[in-house]
Amino acid sequence: MRRRSYVTSVSLLALLSFAACSSTSSDPAPPAPTTLGTCRFEPLPPTARAGGTVRAGAVSVGTAEADLGLPIGSALGGYTSRVALLGGDGRPDDRDPRYSGAFVPSVGVETRPRVKALAITAGDETVVMLHADVGAMYDGVLFEVERRLGPEFSGKVIATASHTHGGPGHFVGNSILQLGFGAFREQSFERIVTAFVDVATVALDARQPARIGIAHAPDFDPDDTVSRDRRAQNDDLPGGSARKDHDLFVLRADATDGTPLALVPIFGVHPTVLGAGNNLASNDVAGAIEVALEESFDRPVLVMHLQQAAGDVSPAGTGGIDCEGVESCFDFARGETVGRYARDAILAAWEAAPLVDTLEMEMVTRTIALGPDLTALTARDGALTYLPYEPGRVPDGVLFTPDGEVSTPIDEFNVAFGAGLCGEASGGLGDGIEGTSTLGAPYQSCSTVEGVVQLLRIGVGDDWYFEDPLPSCATTRTTLSALRLGDHLFVTLPGEPLNPLVDRIRDASPVAADRTVVLGYAQDHMGYVLHADDWLRGGYEPSINVWGPIEGEYIAEAAVSLAGLALTPEREDATADGVGRVLPGPYSAAVDPDPSPQAGTVPETVPESLYLRPDVDVTQAQPRATIPRLGLNHFVWVGEDPVAGTPTVTIEREQAGGTFAPLTRRSGRVVRDRDLLLLWTPTPLEATEGPRTHHWVAEWQAVPATGSADDTDLDARAALPLGRYRFHVEGVGYTLTSDPFEVVPASLETSVVQTASQLELDVARDGRGGFRLLDLEMPSNARVPIRAGDVEARITVEGGGAPVSVTATVSDGRAIIPWTDNDGVVMEVRVTDAYGNLGVAMPTR
């Protein structure tokens, strides 16, 4: 299909030029931060069950999981470069971004964003742990979930984000973070709150007597196959010397009869295998880890990967997809390798977790104040401070004392409403911090919040809201929680913690370091969370927080202080020493779905504007009648506007008697994503006064389902059972089934060289054009050698006679068959693998 080109309507250079030309010497100086502007606050409800005594009690556990339900067409959070103004990465075509606004819209699904819940009761205490496949958590969501669950859950809910950069945005009320997550829409906020409340309610209702345990593996992933350290600037710091988060914790819950209920691995890894060019919803490596573990069981078990010190940890993995020259590379295959590499160590820790059926449990939650009063942000028992904001002050430029300690009070971070984009020796956006233009990293690239907001108001207008007057209200507060679970302590951090800071928290924890679990990306999001020494070393990570070098340490110390309350015999009201929470809003305008009267029909022709993966072409709506194993097939139909919902697509196989049944994984889950892709294109692309037609295409590669019986190793990905298959669609108000199609054996790519003493066979399978993982080393969308196993070679010699059948063992795509000239000149070799796939070759000499 032809692609329409996209030209950014307003370039960043033009915006900056305009802003510079419009600035005059009469512009007013930024006001001193003596007010919280138009911010609206309300007190937190008292901590539930405060005033009692913590006592050991019997454990019960309930689990639940469901779709998140945010629409395709949302902005995907995590990369500011997806803003059309700032690069427009992942822009598919000229479609109208009516839901994503200034962001590039998402166009489909690789893995559906999910919400998960683990409800734990011990004695008279109940806690709900929630998790969503999104880039960040927002405490406005947390508070509304608690409110709807009822007063008995005030301060008793932990909400976490996977931090996938392929998760939908639009629900984060922090106007600064909307640069990464899109305009704040009430529709999206309501959907994530509703999904959390629903899944929490199901988990609470499902509680049953259980046993629970926690294991710690202090040397997780020593070979860096799962993750790797990505930050060199802090290598001289304790906990930063090329060190990543190698402390794996695993929370296990079983029913009293031994039936597994939940497996919660906790370690840090950035879900960023897919870059900014990806425009499909995907759970990235966090989802791949969860699926690899889910399919280690013969029944559905809740698997919920929680982040720890992921701020300076990148995903590793191997193989994947060859993306050279491809703007939008969908490297889902490499992400899958991360799950495979992580699985065994996590399962070993799960097996080792000691289980108890009675324990003491308490959870406390508190909201703390941040800026704009810089003097309130202190650390190290008040020894680390800022000077108060003073317009026009010239800083001394001394960042460290001669003995390497942070110079305090810090006078360089002299801001009214905060600053971002710090860390580098050049760059920035808008006005910098006065007096720092010659200091180099980390201050030279700092941009004041008011300067950035001014530029964005010019460039994006009403698509985002920015408080007037400043500060950005949500940056002035954040929320922390601590959970005592037996002899373990869980401490939440509202953002992306770096390993050196997490090590400090463990060292300062009131329980032993190997029993202190730090949950990142939890309750709220304030950007990267790092201590002052780390921040002042510059680099990328200091660019995403608002209150400078002390902010992360201040938050961490407040979290450790709060954790102390969870260890006392009393059940305290943790809100007593906190501050009021920020009320969410205002929201961006609602988007109403098109009525889509043709939904549930198959078009006679496929529109030329249909969005597909690179190098994929579809010329008919119904699937091709026959495809080989490892090949691709597609189904195109007219469906709903994605604002109304996302259709569910499954692959069905014909059974005895002519009926069709959906493919399932080992755990019993029905295959409906990850093994197939779903893409959406409105027709026409541009908005019209009348309703548009919404075309959907499902893409499937003929490979056994992840976790199925035929997926024990990658070689078996060529073992999909032969027969007839079809696509089945469950849409909003309709169901639809494609024409059946036949899956036939794959053609092996085979070559043979005959020498005086042997036949040298080269045997491979064709993965070209595909997206599934076929090999751990080579690109899976290429010619993939058979790594191991036996093949049958049927050899025909010159002069006729019965062909000779020989079994040959393949190693890394090559097999040797002893053969002399006395055995005859070989005319043809027909090679069949263990699954009946066939290749034919004429030997060369």
Side-chain angles (χ1 to χ4, degrees):
M1 295 299 143
R2 291 198 299 269
R3 300 288 196 279
R4 300 192 182 192
S5 63
Y6 175 72
V7 180
T8 305
S9 58
V10 183
S11 71
L12 178 59
L13 179 61
L15 172 65
L16 293 175
S17 299
F18 175 79
C21 293
S22 64
S23 178
T24 68
S25 59
S26 63
D27 289 341
T34 56
T35 175
L36 287 171
T38 58
C39 298
R40 300 179 303 137
F41 303 104
E42 70 174 11
L44 267 69
T47 304
R49 293 176 287 283
T53 302
V54 180
R55 292 186 176 88
V59 174
S60 63
V61 168
T63 66
E65 54 188 295
D67 291 341
L68 174 55
L70 295 183
I72 295 173
S74 302
L76 298 180
Y79 291 111
T80 300
S81 62
R82 286 174 174 147
V83 179
L85 178 71
L86 301 177
D89 285 344
R91 184 78 182 190
D93 43 41
D94 287 328
R95 69 184 64 193
D96 173 40
R98 62 194 183 109
Y99 201 96
S100 60
F103 267 77
V104 167
S106 56
V107 299
V109 175
E110 185 258 344
T111 42
R112 290 170 182 264
R114 303 278 284 164
V115 289
K116 299 182 178 183
L118 174 65
I120 305 173
T121 294
D124 63 350
E125 180 77 310
T126 295
V127 169
V128 180
M129 302 179 74
L130 298 172
H131 188 62
D133 292 314
V134 293
M137 194 40 60
Y138 168 47
D139 62 6
V141 169
L142 169 73
F143 298 140
E144 183 60 17
V145 169
E146 289 184 347
R147 187 187 70 79
R148 296 189 191 184
L149 288 175
E152 66 271 29
F153 292 97
S154 294
K156 305 298 182 180
V157 176
I158 294 177
T160 64
S162 71
H163 195 53
T164 173
H165 286 42
H170 299 297
F171 62 87
V172 177
N174 185 330
S175 58
I176 302 301
L177 290 181
Q178 288 178 58
L179 277 169
F181 298 98
F184 185 37
R185 296 198 179 278
E186 186 172 11
Q187 288 162 292
S188 293
F189 179 83
E190 177 63 27
R191 288 189 185 190
I192 190 173
V193 168
T194 300
F196 268 156
V197 171
D198 288 349
V199 78
T201 301
V202 172
L204 289 165
D205 290 344
R207 281 173 294 173
Q208 59 180 296
R211 298 185 299 163
I212 201 167
I214 301 171
H216 174 234
D219 192 23
F220 174 65
D221 187 39
D223 298 325
D224 289 355
T225 57
V226 175
S227 64
R228 57 180 176 80
D229 174 69
R230 77 175 191 188
R231 178 166 166 81
Q233 289 85 353
N234 63 7
D235 284 354
D236 66 314
L237 295 173
S241 181
R243 182 184 168 202
K244 61 179 184 181
D245 184 9
H246 54 59
D247 283 280
L248 166 69
F249 292 88
V250 174
L251 171 62
R252 174 179 178 174
D254 288 4
T256 52
D257 64 0
T259 301
L261 299 176
L263 188 167
V264 182
I266 306 165
F267 66 94
V269 56
H270 238 86
T272 51
V273 160
L274 303 174
N278 170 58
N279 49 31
L280 302 185
S282 173
N283 302 337
D284 207 283
V285 297
I289 291 165
E290 290 180 338
V291 169
L293 294 168
E294 287 171 354
E295 302 314 317
S296 301
F297 298 94
D298 294 325
R299 61 179 301 277
V301 173
L302 179 78
V303 177
M304 190 164 71
H305 169 247
L306 303 183
Q307 295 284 7
Q308 197 164 229
D312 49 356
V313 178
S314 288
T318 57
I321 298 297
D322 181 4
C323 295
E324 185 175 355
V326 178
E327 182 178 351
S328 292
C329 178
F330 303 103
D331 197 359
F332 311 120
R334 181 175 159 226
E336 186 179 340
T337 71
V338 174
R340 286 176 170 256
Y341 290 136
R343 176 182 55 204
D344 291 348
I346 295 172
L347 288 174
W350 178 81
E351 291 279 4
L355 298 173
V356 298
D357 57 11
T358 302
L359 55 75
E360 294 180 344
M361 184 170 72
E362 183 184 14
M363 178 175 166
V364 287
T365 298
R366 173 182 294 163
T367 293
I368 63 172
L370 299 175
D373 179 8
L374 295 178
T375 62
L377 275 72
T378 67
R380 307 178 190 180
D381 293 326
L384 187 59
T385 63
Y386 290 125
L387 285 182
Y389 172 65
E390 179 185 343
R393 184 177 68 228
V394 178
D396 61 16
V398 178
L399 307 188
F400 295 96
T401 65
D403 59 0
E405 297 296 323
V406 176
S407 178
T408 183
I410 295 173
D411 62 344
E412 290 79 14
F413 197 75
N414 185 35
V415 294
F417 308 116
L421 306 180
C422 304
E424 305 296 341
S426 62
L429 178 67
D431 296 331
I433 301 175
E434 287 186 86
T436 62
S437 61
T438 62
L439 294 184
Y443 284 105
Q444 191 160 331
S445 63
C446 287
S447 301
T448 64
V449 165
E450 60 268 28
V452 173
V453 166
Q454 178 187 12
L455 293 181
L456 292 172
R457 280 179 175 144
I458 296 169
V460 300
D462 295 333
D463 190 62
W464 285 305
Y465 79 86
F466 296 102
E467 291 89 342
D468 190 11
L470 288 167
S472 174
C473 300
T475 69
T476 70
R477 300 285 192 272
T478 197
T479 299
L480 307 169
S481 293
L483 168 66
R484 176 189 179 188
L485 200 59
D487 59 359
H488 283 76
L489 188 62
F490 290 72
V491 181
T492 71
L493 288 180
E496 312 191 36
L498 272 64
N499 196 74
L501 181 71
V502 168
D503 276 359
R504 286 194 179 189
I505 291 175
R506 291 198 186 107
D507 289 343
S509 172
V511 303
D514 62 356
R515 290 185 280 114
T516 300
V517 185
V518 179
L519 300 182
Y521 309 88
Q523 308 297 62
D524 198 19
H525 197 91
M526 305 308 294
Y528 285 90
V529 189
L530 60 171
H531 61 62
D533 303 74
D534 206 347
W535 194 98
L536 288 168
R537 278 159 173 76
Y540 171 73
E541 287 75 15
S543 69
I544 306 178
N545 75 349
V546 172
W547 300 114
I550 301 180
E551 178 186 19
E553 239 178 291
Y554 170 76
I555 290 173
E557 291 183 5
V560 171
S561 176
L562 179 65
L565 290 184
L567 294 178
T568 66
E570 297 79 25
R571 293 199 183 278
E572 295 89 352
D573 178 9
T575 68
D577 293 326
V579 296
R581 62 192 182 192
V582 181
L583 293 174
Y587 303 97
S588 295
V591 175
D592 295 325
D594 291 336
S596 304
Q598 299 180 52
T601 62
V602 179
E604 293 183 4
T605 59
V606 174
E608 291 188 355
S609 61
L610 189 69
Y611 182 75
L612 301 165
R613 289 190 304 115
D615 301 323
V616 172
D617 198 18
V618 174
T619 59
Q620 62 188 44
Q622 290 289 356
R624 289 184 292 131
T626 302
I627 62 168
R629 288 168 169 160
L630 308 184
L632 301 171
N633 221 343
H634 301 82
F635 178 45
V636 181
W637 73 98
V638 177
E640 58 270 55
D641 182 336
V643 176
T646 302
T648 297
V649 183
T650 55
I651 301 293
E652 298 180 334
R653 181 181 176 224
E654 188 175 32
Q655 311 296 302
T659 60
F660 283 81
L663 298 184
T664 58
R665 309 190 195 279
R666 174 184 171 182
S667 66
R669 293 174 170 88
V670 173
V671 174
R672 60 189 191 125
D673 58 7
R674 186 170 292 275
D675 291 19
L676 52 83
L677 305 179
L678 181 63
L679 299 105
W680 154 73
T681 306
T683 307
L685 293 170
E686 298 82 6
T688 61
E689 292 186 2
R692 290 186 288 182
T693 302
H694 297 274
H695 286 91
W696 295 82
V697 55
E699 179 178 12
W700 180 59
Q701 187 172 4
V703 172
T706 303
S708 65
D710 295 315
D711 189 40
T712 54
D713 58 56
L714 289 180
D715 188 58
R717 297 239 157 147
L720 181 75
L722 305 177
R724 295 210 308 163
Y725 292 78
R726 69 185 187 185
F727 293 91
H728 181 73
V729 181
E730 295 281 346
V732 177
Y734 68 92
T735 60
L736 189 63
T737 301
S738 76
D739 292 344
F741 55 92
E742 190 84 15
V743 173
V744 299
S747 296
L748 302 180
E749 294 196 356
T750 307
S751 64
V752 181
V753 176
Q754 183 176 1
T755 69
S757 61
Q758 63 188 22
L759 299 177
E760 300 175 0
L761 275 65
D762 188 296
V763 189
R765 302 186 177 106
D766 185 8
R768 293 179 182 90
F771 60 91
R772 295 292 307 283
L773 178 67
L774 303 180
D775 193 270
L776 288 174
E777 299 176 19
M778 299 183 63
S780 291
N781 59 339
R783 185 178 183 272
V784 178
I786 295 178
R787 290 294 180 186
D790 291 340
V791 296
E792 180 182 349
R794 189 173 175 84
I795 304 168
T796 302
V797 299
E798 187 179 51
V804 177
S805 293
V806 178
T807 298
T809 299
V810 180
S811 176
D812 290 334
R814 300 185 66 81
I816 302 298
I817 299 175
W819 192 272
T820 66
D821 288 342
N822 293 334
D823 296 317
V825 176
V826 176
M827 303 299 295
E828 178 188 84
V829 178
R830 300 174 68 86
V831 177
T832 306
D833 68 9
Y835 314 114
N837 302 305
L838 175 66
V840 180
M842 307 301 173
T844 60
R845 295 178 65 89

